[in-house]
């Protein structure tokens, strides 16, 4: 989820729904499909993001074979499959003369190395809390959608799910008496 979240400057979805296997009380599902709707962001158009996980990952997206683990970006002019080290443009014949822009983002030294460097030098990490918090929020909304089987409407400003009381209850853990935070 990190790659599209970062590349498309996503933050807070307005809608989320998930499909997957029947809930198991003790384990996570072997696969999941989660669909999100993100609103317009400044000059960027609204985005529909479909996340596939585990045994629900399709062999093809938008008519293109998925060549491995990564993300298939689907646009009006074509598609791009990408992971952290490579990309492929489709249809290939349309983009055979494409020249990529000059690299502007420094290569990562890795999550753990960034964390250690931040601890030692006080330098910021690429995936800091301002970024990772909203990303975790999105993933957790997908989990709530799967657990409830509901299409959820999310209001980030109010931190509320609307239209489904069971989903709203999952937003806050109920602690036993004497163990509240």
């Amino acid at each position: 989820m990190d790659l599209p979240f970062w590349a498309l400057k996503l933050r807070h979805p307005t809608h989320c729904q998930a499909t997957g296997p029947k809930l198991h009380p003790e384990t996570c599902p072997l696969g999941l499909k989660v669909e999100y709707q993100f609103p317009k962001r400044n000059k960027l158009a609204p985005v529909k993001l479909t996340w596939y996980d585990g045994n629900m990952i399709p062999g093809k997206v938008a008519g293109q074979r998925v060549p491995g683990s990564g993300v298939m970006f689907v646009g009006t002019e074509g598609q791009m499959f990408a992971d952290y080290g490579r990309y492929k443009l489709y249809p290939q014949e349309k983009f055979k003369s494409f020249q990529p822009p000059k690299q502007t983002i420094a290569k990562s030294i890795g999550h753990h190395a960034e964390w250690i460097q931040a601890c030692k030098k006080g330098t910021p990490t690429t995936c800091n809390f301002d970024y990772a918090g909203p990303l975790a929020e999105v993933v957790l909304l997908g989990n709530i959608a799967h657990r409830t089987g509901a299409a959820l409407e999310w209001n980030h400003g109010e931190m509320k799910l609307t239209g489904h009381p069971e989903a709203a209850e999952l937003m806050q853990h109920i602690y036993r008496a004497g163990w509240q935070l």
Side-chain angles (χ1 to χ4, degrees):
M1 181 77 77
D2 178 47
L3 190 57
F5 198 79
W6 190 12
L8 300 173
K9 298 181 174 146
L10 302 176
R11 292 297 278 183
H12 310 291
T14 54
H15 178 86
C16 175
Q17 91 180 60
T19 54
K22 183 179 172 186
L23 288 176
H24 189 284
E26 297 175 0
T27 65
C28 62
L30 295 177
L32 205 57
K33 175 184 175 185
V34 187
E35 298 173 277
Y36 299 94
Q37 295 286 334
F38 289 88
K40 183 177 178 185
R41 292 129 7 260
N42 294 323
K43 294 180 180 181
L44 300 173
V47 169
K48 176 186 175 191
L49 172 71
T50 304
W51 181 257
Y52 297 95
D53 184 57
N55 64 7
M56 304 248 333
I57 297 172
K60 285 187 172 187
V61 173
Q64 298 298 328
R65 184 183 68 78
V66 177
S69 180
V71 178
M72 183 70 81
F73 293 90
V74 179
T76 56
E77 302 294 321
Q79 300 87 32
M80 178 178 74
F81 176 83
D83 60 22
Y84 289 104
R86 63 191 168 118
Y87 68 91
K88 195 167 199 168
L89 300 172
Y90 301 100
Q92 289 179 312
E93 52 281 350
K94 180 177 180 176
F95 297 105
K96 65 182 166 189
S97 63
F98 173 77
Q99 294 296 314
K102 182 180 172 191
Q103 183 173 334
T104 58
I105 300 170
K107 290 215 182 268
S108 173
I109 59 174
H111 288 295
H112 294 105
E114 274 190 15
W115 181 77
I116 290 168
Q117 181 174 301
C119 291
K120 288 180 174 181
K121 297 182 179 180
T123 55
T125 61
T126 305
C127 295
N128 54 45
F129 289 114
D130 184 53
Y131 172 81
L135 176 58
E137 178 183 304
V138 170
V139 172
L140 293 171
L141 284 172
N143 289 333
I144 292 173
H146 178 245
R147 293 195 66 75
T148 59
L152 306 176
E153 298 298 324
W154 175 239
N155 181 329
H156 170 75
E158 295 182 21
M159 296 297 280
K160 289 191 177 183
L161 288 167
T162 57
H164 199 280
E166 184 183 349
E169 288 176 18
L170 292 173
M171 289 295 299
Q172 177 63 47
H173 184 72
I174 307 302
Y175 293 94
R176 291 181 291 149
W179 296 94
Q180 293 88 355
L181 292 177

